[in-house]
Amino acid sequence: MVSSYLTQSALSVEPADIESALSQLDDFLQDQNNWQDAVWSYRIPELGEGGACSLFGHLQDEPFELTSLLSQDQQTSQALVKLQSMVAYVQSQTDVDWFGIYQTRQTPQGAQLLKLAYHGAPSRPLFPINEQFAATSNNVQVVMSGRARVINDVPQYVSNGGEYYTCDPKVQAEACLPLFDNANNCIGIIDAEAFSKDFFTPNVLALLIAVCIKIPQYLPE
């Protein structure tokens, strides 16, 4: 499972470190004292002209409701509990400034990445999966390609001509990793952002990969 993920995502991390991180994550999830409440409603930014960009610091009056796209049944609630618990685990182990879990969902507007659980500042709930958004969004690039993207120096990346979707201007490093089903189809992503450069060390990436391997077991149907 670990070697398959590394091959599919085009990441190079020591497999033994990922296995160790998986074991620790399993121990965490088995203890119900660590479980977090499901988050069904969250604040989101205003969108800029055309809906392409989020206006950081300007929040919409009404929160986004996951019930607009998910059934609020027991199975889905339990899935969101586990996902929010993994978000809390990642934050506690790494002190990452922002972390989110997204699933590919069919919506009335087409296929989009839906934010299911997160830690950090408010951010947009949906990313349309299309070539237009892929031009600037790591999230969409990763879900369309199935290949991870790790940028440990965002300012340098941008100054070198890299396209980048800026939500929080404080972000200095970002790691966006794919989620795969049993048939190796990319079915979502995780996104992690840090306010310091060179944040995504091999140890941090090992933990993120472990989480990516575990998350698909808990994605809503």
Side-chain angles (χ1 to χ4, degrees):
M1 184 178 299
V2 170
S3 61
S4 174
Y5 185 89
L6 291 173
T7 299
Q8 289 293 119
S9 64
L11 286 168
S12 180
V13 177
E14 185 62 44
D17 293 340
I18 301 170
E19 294 286 1
S20 176
L22 272 168
S23 178
Q24 294 174 51
L25 178 58
D26 282 335
D27 290 343
F28 176 86
L29 291 174
Q30 287 172 9
D31 186 347
Q32 294 189 23
N33 292 320
N34 295 324
W35 293 1
Q36 304 291 306
D37 292 336
V39 177
W40 285 95
S41 175
Y42 49 78
R43 301 295 301 278
I44 59 175
E46 294 279 3
L47 295 182
E49 185 176 353
C53 299
S54 298
L55 299 179
F56 183 73
H58 298 270
L59 300 181
Q60 295 186 24
D61 292 334
E62 297 297 324
F64 179 80
E65 304 289 345
L66 280 177
T67 50
S68 64
L69 292 171
L70 298 177
S71 299
Q72 196 171 9
D73 53 32
Q74 183 177 9
Q75 183 176 5
T76 304
S77 294
Q78 291 175 343
L80 292 181
V81 163
K82 292 299 179 66
L83 296 178
Q84 194 64 47
S85 300
M86 281 189 273
V87 168
Y89 181 72
V90 169
Q91 200 282 324
S92 69
Q93 294 296 306
T94 67
D95 286 327
V96 71
D97 294 288
W98 201 96
F99 181 75
I101 297 172
Y102 298 76
Q103 180 186 23
T104 300
R105 304 285 303 194
Q106 288 298 325
T107 76
Q109 291 74 38
Q112 300 197 65
L113 282 171
L114 171 64
K115 187 173 66 178
L116 299 175
Y118 79 103
H119 161 85
S123 64
R124 66 184 301 146
L126 292 161
F127 282 88
I129 301 175
N130 56 45
E131 293 294 342
Q132 178 184 354
F133 266 76
T136 56
S137 168
N138 284 329
N139 292 358
V140 178
Q141 287 183 31
V142 169
V143 77
M144 291 182 70
S145 69
R147 299 298 182 94
R149 297 201 75 198
V150 180
I151 303 172
N152 262 320
D153 189 335
V154 168
Q156 182 181 50
Y157 174 79
V158 173
S159 68
N160 289 339
E163 295 287 347
Y164 191 77
Y165 179 96
T166 299
C167 179
D168 188 336
K170 295 190 295 294
V171 172
Q172 299 292 300
E174 180 178 14
C176 187
L177 277 59
L179 305 173
F180 299 113
D181 63 14
N182 291 331
N184 289 327
N185 298 307
C186 189
I187 56 173
I189 59 104
I190 66 166
D191 187 35
E193 298 176 345
F195 296 163
S196 58
K197 298 175 183 178
D198 300 319
F199 182 87
F200 297 102
T201 64
N203 284 340
V204 171
L205 288 174
L207 172 58
L208 295 182
I209 292 169
V211 170
C212 285
I213 291 171
K214 185 65 62 174
I215 284 172
Q217 300 177 26
Y218 302 110
L219 291 176
E221 294 184 0

